[in-house]
Amino acid sequence: MASTADIKNGVVLNIDGQLWSIVEFQHVKPGKGGAFVRTKMKNVLSGKVVDKTFNAGAKIEIESVDRRDFQYLYNDGDSFVFMDTSDYDQIHVAAPTVGDASHFLLENQMVTIALNNGNALYVELPASVVLEITYTEPGLQGDRSSAGTKPATLETGYEIQVPLFLETGTRVKVDTRTGDYLGREK
């Protein structure tokens, strides 16, 4: 058990069986009354952000979370298989844990996985990835600079909106957090 003096940004706490990451904290010592620690915490699994106040010196439970680089190998139906590049161990991560990251995963792509007691908590992709458009409707001649968009299917099967002038086979940069088109790969 640790105390509130051990709270820092990025520390993961176990509160009522749920894991919460400290986003920001502030030690407060008012002129009257006891000191306390005001925190903003994010649920590691759901992403929900809450404010919580702890009395100074209160006991808290700090969890160890190991963030390591893994290489994506393949999808075996109900889970995704990743390989630890340092010792070549393979882990299976359930599809709900991977979540929307599956829309941007290509074989041999590097990702960061947060582990707690051997269990994967979440998969973190780079901010953007480069993917090829496998299908999109042909663009209209002369429609090169308008702000119109059309749907395009990427090589992972995910569909995004792209400008009208892009064609099948073009490599595009995609934001992995929002799924937005960022530009053509040069």
Side-chain angles (χ1 to χ4, degrees):
M1 286 297 239
S3 74
T4 54
D6 300 317
I7 291 179
K8 296 179 188 63
N9 287 347
V11 167
V12 177
L13 305 179
N14 185 341
I15 300 174
D16 299 329
Q18 293 189 18
L19 298 179
W20 297 85
S21 176
I22 302 294
V23 176
E24 59 185 63
F25 72 99
Q26 179 182 19
H27 289 277
V28 179
K29 180 146 179 38
K32 190 175 187 180
F36 58 91
V37 179
R38 187 178 296 136
T39 64
K40 183 177 283 187
M41 302 185 309
K42 179 179 178 181
N43 189 304
V44 172
L45 298 177
S46 69
K48 179 179 174 185
V49 177
V50 297
D51 293 324
K52 184 162 175 66
T53 303
F54 297 96
N55 290 328
K59 298 294 179 199
I60 56 174
E61 190 175 342
I62 295 181
E63 286 287 330
S64 65
V65 173
D66 185 20
R67 296 183 52 182
R68 293 191 299 196
D69 291 332
F70 284 82
Q71 182 178 15
Y72 172 61
L73 297 179
Y74 59 91
N75 180 350
D76 71 356
D78 55 345
S79 66
F80 292 80
V81 180
F82 296 89
M83 178 180 67
D84 188 340
T85 54
S86 61
D87 59 9
Y88 304 109
D89 281 347
Q90 293 184 6
I91 64 168
H92 293 261
V93 179
T97 304
V98 175
D100 289 341
S102 64
H103 300 309
F104 309 106
L105 277 177
L106 284 177
E107 289 182 2
N108 301 323
Q109 183 176 359
M110 297 303 293
V111 298
T112 302
I113 299 180
L115 299 167
N116 174 257
N117 298 329
N119 297 324
L121 300 175
Y122 58 87
V123 175
E124 197 174 279
L125 292 172
S128 64
V129 293
V130 176
L131 298 169
E132 186 175 323
I133 296 175
T134 56
Y135 177 77
T136 186
E137 295 292 329
L140 300 172
Q141 188 63 32
D143 210 350
R144 299 288 189 240
S145 61
S146 71
T149 61
K150 62 182 178 179
T153 305
L154 301 173
E155 59 187 305
T156 59
Y158 188 63
E159 191 172 280
I160 64 169
Q161 293 293 318
V162 298
L164 293 171
F165 61 86
L166 290 180
E167 299 171 353
T168 300
T170 306
R171 294 184 58 77
V172 294
K173 196 174 204 178
V174 181
D175 187 327
T176 58
R177 297 166 296 217
T178 61
D180 292 340
Y181 164 80
L182 295 175
R184 284 186 288 188
E185 177 64 14
K186 294 174 178 57

